[in-house]
Amino acid sequence: MGLRLFPVQASTISVETDHLLYFLVAVAAFFSLLIFAAIFYFAIRYRRRSERDLPPAVHGGMALEILWTVIPLGLTMVMFGWDASIFFKESRPQDNSMQVYVVAKQWMWKLQHAEGQREINELHVPLGRPIRLTMTSEDVIHSFFVPAFRVKQDVVPGRYTTIWFEPTKTGRYHLFCAEYCGTNHSRMTGWIDVMEPQDYQAWLDGGAAMGSLAASGQKLFESLACGNCHKPDGSGRCPSLVGLYGRPVQLAGGGVVQADEAYIRESILNPDVKIVAGFQPLMPTFQGLVTEEGVLELIEYIKSLSPAAGTQAGGNGLTPEPNTLKNSNQETPAPIERPGNR
Ligand code: CUA
């Protein structure tokens, strides 16, 4: 296999990221060599030749000052612009992304597909489709790191962070936790399985019995009796949730908020923080009553009440692209891990 300096390039962003890194290494190497060579040259060329040897006084050189200001400035601006363009690309999930939810805890990764499959320390994804991860933690800060995709993002308790990637090669790629999170941090690893779209579809079908996240969310919604106040026709004491996701919401204190995942999560756990204009702060908190996974299920359910949300909210497409996921064949679906520990 030989010595590998870099992990395989298995996502659309990895080639660009590596080119930037090569450039940074080349610049650093060039100037290190230049400085070393200059040190040796000057040490010999301007060495003290006798006891009374005094160098001539030099009163600066404007040309030199400008030169060694402008060259580093230009180089660092190139680095900045290049890096920023990759950063923006990496921060903006594409509109047709497939949604996956990640809940980290000491010391495991729990991953849920919108279709309902739940996995532990393993994520199956189709080739050639952008995958958007919405992530949170149940305890401390973790970090989702897949070297082959060149993506790394902190996973923070109490808020959602997102990341996206588009795999370009089938295979199994290492997932690491890249933030020290306690005793078994080093063992908080997993695998990303990139499959051909038809294999992925077969795998999905193999676990269909679990029901979609939205369906689980609906059950939870009913068991918590949310519908008593949030009536779909808007006649209840609380705002209707139909069509809410991705829409701007007018708040009682003035101001407008976009109904995204973070807003819905906050409204479930801290309902008094943002009151919808025209409504009373009646809702109790569901902190401690709903797990992080439960909140994600409720969010998927609320999203499902807004059919067109995928495009409105800038990249939370729930509905799989019809062209990629329609084929089915008789490949053996990979076994699906069921979380037995919660
Ligand atoms: Cu989780 Cu380190």
Side-chain angles (χ1 to χ4, degrees):
M1 183 153 151
L3 177 66
R4 272 213 98 94
L5 275 183
F6 292 92
V8 288
Q9 298 173 327
S11 75
T12 48
I13 208 93
S14 57
V15 178
E16 278 173 84
T17 312
D18 285 0
H19 285 167
L20 175 62
L21 181 63
Y22 299 150
F23 175 72
L24 296 178
V25 170
V27 169
F30 173 77
F31 281 101
S32 302
L33 288 174
L34 188 69
I35 289 165
F36 268 87
I39 287 171
F40 282 105
Y41 174 74
F42 289 153
I44 294 162
R45 174 84 173 72
Y46 299 107
R47 69 186 185 279
R48 201 175 188 196
R49 282 157 213 264
S50 75
E51 278 297 305
R52 281 181 293 157
D53 195 7
L54 281 177
V58 177
H59 297 285
M62 188 52 88
L64 200 57
E65 295 276 357
I66 290 173
L67 196 70
W68 70 38
T69 305
V70 168
I71 291 176
L73 180 72
L75 277 171
T76 46
M77 284 299 116
V78 168
M79 291 171 189
F80 172 74
W82 190 347
D83 201 2
S85 80
I86 294 178
F87 176 77
F88 283 127
K89 201 181 280 185
E90 246 180 347
S91 319
R92 289 201 196 113
Q94 295 179 12
D95 284 347
N96 60 341
S97 303
M98 190 183 106
Q99 176 70 59
V100 173
Y101 292 104
V102 180
V103 177
K105 63 176 261 188
Q106 288 167 322
W107 288 276
M108 64 198 289
W109 298 100
K110 296 184 283 186
L111 304 112
Q112 312 183 73
H113 297 250
E115 292 84 356
Q117 275 75 1
R118 288 160 175 76
E119 306 187 67
I120 302 280
N121 292 339
E122 185 140 19
L123 175 65
H124 290 78
V125 292
L127 183 69
R129 180 107 198 272
I131 315 293
R132 177 187 196 255
L133 305 179
T134 299
M135 310 188 288
T136 190
S137 165
E138 281 181 16
D139 36 48
V140 299
I141 302 177
H142 303 272
S143 184
F144 189 96
F145 179 35
V146 184
F149 298 160
R150 311 293 190 274
V151 292
K152 177 154 76 174
Q153 174 64 54
D154 277 5
V155 181
V156 184
R159 57 173 289 189
Y160 291 139
T161 52
T162 58
I163 200 172
W164 79 275
F165 55 82
E166 182 178 331
T168 53
K169 276 194 185 91
T170 56
R172 255 162 95 73
Y173 304 105
H174 245 306
L175 158 68
F176 295 99
C177 178
E179 180 71 48
Y180 180 68
C181 56
T183 313
N184 287 332
H185 156 72
S186 62
R187 292 169 62 192
M188 190 171 163
T189 59
W191 294 96
I192 314 289
D193 285 290
V194 179
M195 312 168 88
E196 293 290 347
Q198 62 270 25
D199 298 346
Y200 176 72
Q201 189 58 48
W203 177 84
L204 265 190
D205 293 344
M210 283 186 230
S212 72
L213 276 194
S216 312
Q218 183 171 11
K219 275 192 210 121
L220 190 54
F221 191 84
E222 282 156 11
S223 74
L224 295 168
C226 309
N228 288 356
C229 292
H230 292 284
K231 298 217 165 88
D233 58 1
S235 68
R237 288 177 297 162
C238 302
S240 160
L241 304 175
V242 175
L244 168 70
Y245 183 74
R247 205 183 60 191
V249 176
Q250 193 71 44
L251 298 180
V256 175
V257 65
Q258 189 81 10
D260 58 5
E261 286 102 340
Y263 166 74
I264 296 173
R265 179 181 188 280
E266 184 185 57
S267 298
I268 294 168
L269 300 177
N270 282 311
D272 289 344
V273 176
K274 295 194 177 81
I275 303 291
V276 179
F279 289 90
Q280 295 297 311
L282 296 171
M283 180 169 156
T285 172
F286 285 83
Q287 197 110 48
L289 295 175
V290 190
T291 61
E292 288 293 349
E293 282 126 314
V295 173
L296 292 170
E297 289 168 358
L298 287 170
I299 289 173
E300 272 297 313
Y301 171 59
I302 291 169
K303 279 184 179 183
S304 73
L305 302 174
S306 312
T311 44
Q312 280 170 17
N316 303 299
L318 304 174
T319 37
E321 292 295 282
N323 56 337
T324 49
L325 296 178
K326 275 296 162 239
N327 309 326
S328 244
N329 67 7
Q330 293 311 307
E331 294 277 337
T332 328
I336 290 151
E337 280 186 74
R338 280 153 217 272
N341 60 327
R342 276 190 61 83

